[in-house]
Amino acid sequence: MTGTTTGRSPLADWAMDHLACGRDLIERHVPEPQERARLLGLLDAAARRIRDTRLRLAVVGEFSSGKSTLINALLGDGLLPAGALPTTGAATWVTASRGTPGYSFRLDRSAHHIVLLDGRPPAPEVLSSLRGTEPDAEPSADGAVLLRELVSEGPWCDRIDELTLSGCAPLLDQGAVLIDTPGSNSPVAGHVRVTRRVMAEEADAAVVVVSSHVLITDSLVRFLQDAVPAPAGGRYLFVITRMDDLDGDDEYASVLCSVRTRVQRQLGIRDPVVLGAAPAGVMKRLAGRSLTAAAAHWHERFPELEQALGRFVTEQRPAGVPLRVLRSLDEALALVEEALTHRHQNLEAACTELTARPVRELDDFLSPRAEPVRAVTRQVAQAARTVRRDVDLACDDVFRSAATSLVALVYSSRSRTELATRVGATAAHTVEEAVIALSEELADLISRQVNDAASGAVRLLDEAFTAEYADCLPTPVPPVGQEPNAIEALGPPLGGRLHGTTLSRSAVLGALARNEYLGKCAALVLGGFPLFPGLDRLQEEVLTSLTTWLESVHEEVRVDARRLAEAAVARLEQHTSALVEAYRATRTGTVAQLLSDRAAAYRRMGKEGAAVAKGMATVRQRRLLVRTHLTRLDVPREPYE
């Protein structure tokens, strides 16, 4: 077998220089690995088409028109399957063999497999690979039979990606490659797409095979009109098969005239080349079978067809191969231009997004008029109001409870003596315990509330920072509240520093033990018999006196508690101001780096955008040159600049 024939030519070198430019642009400006690999693969395929100096001759026609039989006759071997029903399901490339004939194929984009037609069975790995794709099918151990199974008869037909057959024929030695295609009107799904792709992307010229029984149908005319642009119509050669079924030269001449006239009218080809042949008779003679007189006549004339095909290849090759090179190059450069355009649009969109969403300086973000700081100020003010309210409520609750205790103390006394004792000692102790409990409660309450307010301020700043900067940062930045070092920088929790603070006016507690009014109440109880002869009346008078005393203590404690609350609020406000500054210090590096990175990204994208735009201009200039040659069919000569 032999591989693709390649050669060096000024045109190929010129085209490869264009491809090298496109490849360099793709490698530099397509960042996505998968897309870059896909585009480079397409450029590599274009490079292979450009290096191939052979004329690619597609053999097309409707199914059962005799395409495969014609190729078999040219090869002098019945390798390709032929029949009355659609057979060929994949494009089969037929190339010249420099050694042992054979074929290579690829299934499902896997590795290539090679089978030599030397009488030996295919290699075990070939058969094993086929069994792996179709476990219920057993491939033939005969290479020729296996070829038929791959092309038309086996379960692998629809899975063939590539199939290349190497054989011996004068036409192949003249630098032609034959491409056997599925029928242009095949009812099998996908067959017509294969043929259209070959005509549009691979073929330099085409041999259109029609049967003398059917001639050129409307469907074939439509296919040829759609498959290849009109200027390429001169690359057609028409072969009418089954000529041995016609009745004499008159009918033969009539058929040729009919085909030539329709080609001229329907396809716009002024002087089409239309030839007759009977390749089936050639194959019968190769098989040692007898021929009819008409078949024998056309068998003798078959060399005329081979010579005519040779002249067609000789005539078409100087223009057909360069035309394919130019078209392949234009398609490849179009891919490069499309990729660069897409990249340029993405870069412009990214720059627009950066411009549309500027990053605020941290000093602006944390200025007194900025919403984050104002939100913290509002929260501190709310916390201050809550502290003042809760301090008053706590004082009221404690003294209300103390008043209830004093009522019980007075009315539970059974005698003047018991009442005097309780008023002199128990009343003071009851209120003293209440005030001590209040002091502890206020310390805990104020500590908890200001600590919550301080923590809430950190959360507010973190939430505002995330909303402002998170979308601009390459990686999420943890909140300051979750960074131990940042917490230490802000100092110990404010509530902890206030937790040991109690009611500081010792006179309040001392007055409870030494209050002169309590002594007067006790004296009143013991010596007030003339004024209050009954115990009930005495209890009422004593309770009135105690209530007056308790209210004075209540007011004195309330004043001291409010002082304590105001001191805590002042500390909270000071702490909040320090917290904002500490937050500024904590985030300064992050925002500065963000601003630096965005500026660098903008410069980088601008620089790449300019490079991409320059590359786009270069590709467009090169495409314009290529398309100029395509339009004029003017193949560049040396030097190609």
Side-chain angles (χ1 to χ4, degrees):
M1 294 184 64
T2 183
T4 301
T5 300
T6 60
R8 297 297 299 272
S9 70
L11 175 61
D13 291 342
W14 177 75
M16 292 303 295
D17 175 70
H18 285 296
L19 280 185
C21 173
R23 187 181 185 90
D24 177 66
L25 291 171
I26 291 295
E27 289 177 339
R28 285 193 287 121
H29 298 304
V30 178
E32 299 83 1
Q34 292 183 345
E35 179 63 10
R36 183 169 61 247
R38 184 186 73 83
L39 292 171
L40 292 177
L42 293 175
L43 294 185
D44 289 342
R48 289 192 294 270
R49 289 195 296 271
I50 288 172
R51 292 192 187 100
D52 191 352
T53 61
R54 302 169 298 180
L55 183 75
R56 298 178 176 187
L57 197 59
V59 182
V60 300
E62 298 188 332
F63 71 84
S64 192
S65 59
K67 302 184 298 298
S68 299
T69 303
L70 175 61
I71 295 176
N72 285 336
L74 293 172
L75 292 173
D77 198 336
L79 292 175
L80 297 176
L85 296 175
T87 53
T88 306
T92 303
W93 293 58
V94 183
T95 63
S97 174
R98 297 293 182 266
T100 303
Y103 57 91
S104 66
F105 66 92
R106 190 176 70 169
L107 287 173
D108 299 331
R109 302 188 181 278
S110 61
H112 283 85
H113 300 290
I114 297 177
V115 178
L116 298 178
L117 297 174
D118 55 1
R120 293 180 295 178
E125 57 269 20
V126 174
L127 300 179
S128 176
S129 177
L130 292 171
R131 293 189 191 101
T133 57
E134 294 290 341
D136 297 333
E138 179 60 31
S140 174
D142 185 302
V145 176
L146 179 61
L147 176 61
R148 294 176 180 272
E149 293 177 348
L150 295 175
V151 173
S152 65
E153 300 173 1
W156 300 279
C157 300
D158 294 335
R159 309 183 72 163
I160 291 288
D161 294 323
E162 296 179 11
L163 195 151
T164 302
L165 172 66
S166 65
C168 300
L171 187 64
L172 303 179
D173 293 336
Q174 289 179 260
V177 175
L178 299 176
I179 308 175
D180 189 18
T181 63
S184 61
N185 64 337
S186 173
V188 181
H191 284 197
V192 178
R193 288 196 300 272
V194 171
T195 304
R196 288 186 183 277
R197 184 187 61 78
V198 169
M199 294 291 284
E201 301 177 10
E202 303 291 353
D204 302 321
V207 174
V208 182
V209 180
V210 296
S211 171
S212 63
H213 296 177
V214 183
L215 298 181
I216 296 185
T217 63
D218 292 339
S219 60
L220 180 59
V221 169
R222 287 193 298 270
F223 173 81
L224 295 176
Q225 289 173 336
D226 296 340
V228 180
R235 298 186 293 128
Y236 286 141
L237 182 144
F238 295 84
V239 175
I240 305 173
T241 61
R242 297 194 176 97
M243 295 300 292
D244 52 337
D245 293 340
L246 301 181
D247 188 12
D249 292 341
D250 291 341
E251 189 175 3
Y252 165 55
S254 175
V255 167
L256 288 182
C257 181
S258 175
V259 171
R260 186 175 290 110
T261 300
R262 183 147 197 204
V263 168
Q264 289 172 335
R265 292 178 178 176
Q266 299 293 326
L267 299 178
I269 301 176
R270 293 183 179 180
D271 189 20
V273 179
V274 183
L275 305 171
V282 176
M283 298 309 298
K284 288 181 180 179
R285 177 60 59 86
L286 288 173
R289 297 165 58 185
S290 60
L291 303 177
T292 63
H297 169 74
W298 285 102
H299 176 268
E300 293 176 358
R301 296 188 58 178
F302 192 75
E304 297 177 15
L305 175 66
E306 292 179 308
Q307 294 171 6
L309 288 172
R311 289 193 298 272
F312 182 72
V313 169
T314 301
E315 293 169 358
Q316 292 296 323
R317 191 175 180 187
V321 172
L323 193 59
R324 183 225 310 155
V325 169
L326 291 173
R327 282 185 171 168
S328 298
L329 179 57
D330 183 54
E331 292 170 0
L333 293 179
L335 288 172
V336 175
E337 183 179 356
E338 181 182 359
L340 293 181
T341 301
H342 181 68
R343 178 59 177 166
H344 193 263
Q345 291 172 346
N346 288 344
L347 289 171
E348 285 186 332
C351 288
T352 301
E353 184 179 356
L354 282 179
T355 305
R357 186 183 171 91
V359 177
R360 274 205 292 178
E361 296 282 352
L362 191 61
D363 287 342
D364 181 40
F365 174 73
L366 293 177
S367 70
R369 295 183 179 181
E371 178 56 28
V373 177
R374 293 174 64 188
V376 169
T377 302
R378 288 194 298 269
Q379 178 167 292
V380 170
Q382 177 62 36
R385 289 192 294 271
T386 302
V387 167
R388 295 186 184 104
R389 181 199 64 195
D390 290 351
V391 164
D392 284 346
L393 291 175
C395 288
D396 292 344
D397 288 344
V398 166
F399 280 92
R400 189 180 299 111
S401 177
T404 301
S405 298
L406 290 179
V407 170
L409 178 147
V410 170
Y411 285 107
S412 64
S413 299
R414 302 297 182 182
S415 65
R416 287 173 176 271
T417 303
E418 183 180 358
L419 179 58
T421 302
R422 289 186 176 183
V423 169
T426 307
H429 180 69
T430 298
V431 176
E432 181 180 1
E433 288 184 344
V435 173
I436 292 174
L438 174 61
S439 179
E440 294 176 353
E441 180 181 351
L442 289 180
D444 182 67
L445 182 149
I446 294 173
S447 171
R448 183 177 65 255
Q449 289 187 348
V450 298
N451 199 48
D452 290 345
S455 300
V458 176
R459 286 195 301 272
L460 282 176
L461 292 176
D462 275 334
E463 291 170 0
F465 186 89
T466 300
E468 181 71 26
Y469 297 104
D471 292 342
C472 307
L473 293 169
T475 57
V477 175
V480 169
Q482 296 179 9
E483 296 181 5
N485 293 336
I487 291 294
E488 293 173 4
L490 296 178
L494 179 59
R497 285 179 279 165
L498 294 176
H499 191 72
T501 304
T502 59
L503 295 171
S504 59
R505 295 181 66 183
S506 58
V508 174
L509 298 179
L512 294 175
R514 301 188 304 272
N515 193 292
E516 297 176 357
Y517 199 74
L518 286 178
K520 292 180 180 180
C521 286
L524 177 64
V525 173
L526 294 175
F529 177 75
L531 297 176
F532 311 106
L535 181 59
D536 293 342
R537 179 71 183 278
L538 181 61
Q539 288 174 327
E540 291 177 3
E541 188 65 24
V542 170
L543 185 58
T544 300
S545 299
L546 288 176
T547 300
T548 303
W549 166 71
L550 185 61
E551 288 176 353
S552 68
V553 174
H554 181 187
E555 184 60 30
E556 192 172 2
V557 170
R558 186 200 301 274
V559 170
D560 196 51
R562 286 178 176 175
R563 179 201 56 77
L564 182 62
E566 293 302 327
V569 168
R571 293 283 296 276
L572 175 60
E573 292 172 346
Q574 295 172 2
H575 177 80
T576 303
S577 299
L579 183 147
V580 172
E581 294 307 314
Y583 200 94
R584 187 194 311 276
T586 303
R587 292 303 195 200
T588 294
T590 300
V591 176
Q593 186 63 48
L594 171 60
L595 291 168
S596 175
D597 290 346
R598 282 171 65 90
Y602 193 87
R603 291 193 300 271
R604 183 176 63 254
M605 289 189 292
K607 183 178 179 180
E608 184 181 356
V612 171
K614 182 178 179 181
M616 291 167 59
T618 299
V619 172
R620 286 170 181 155
Q621 291 175 354
R622 291 175 182 255
R623 282 197 72 193
L624 180 61
L625 180 60
V626 173
R627 294 181 72 84
T628 299
H629 291 307
L630 274 171
T631 302
R632 299 175 181 176
L633 296 180
D634 179 19
V635 181
R637 305 296 179 185
E638 293 184 333
Y640 295 97
E641 299 178 351

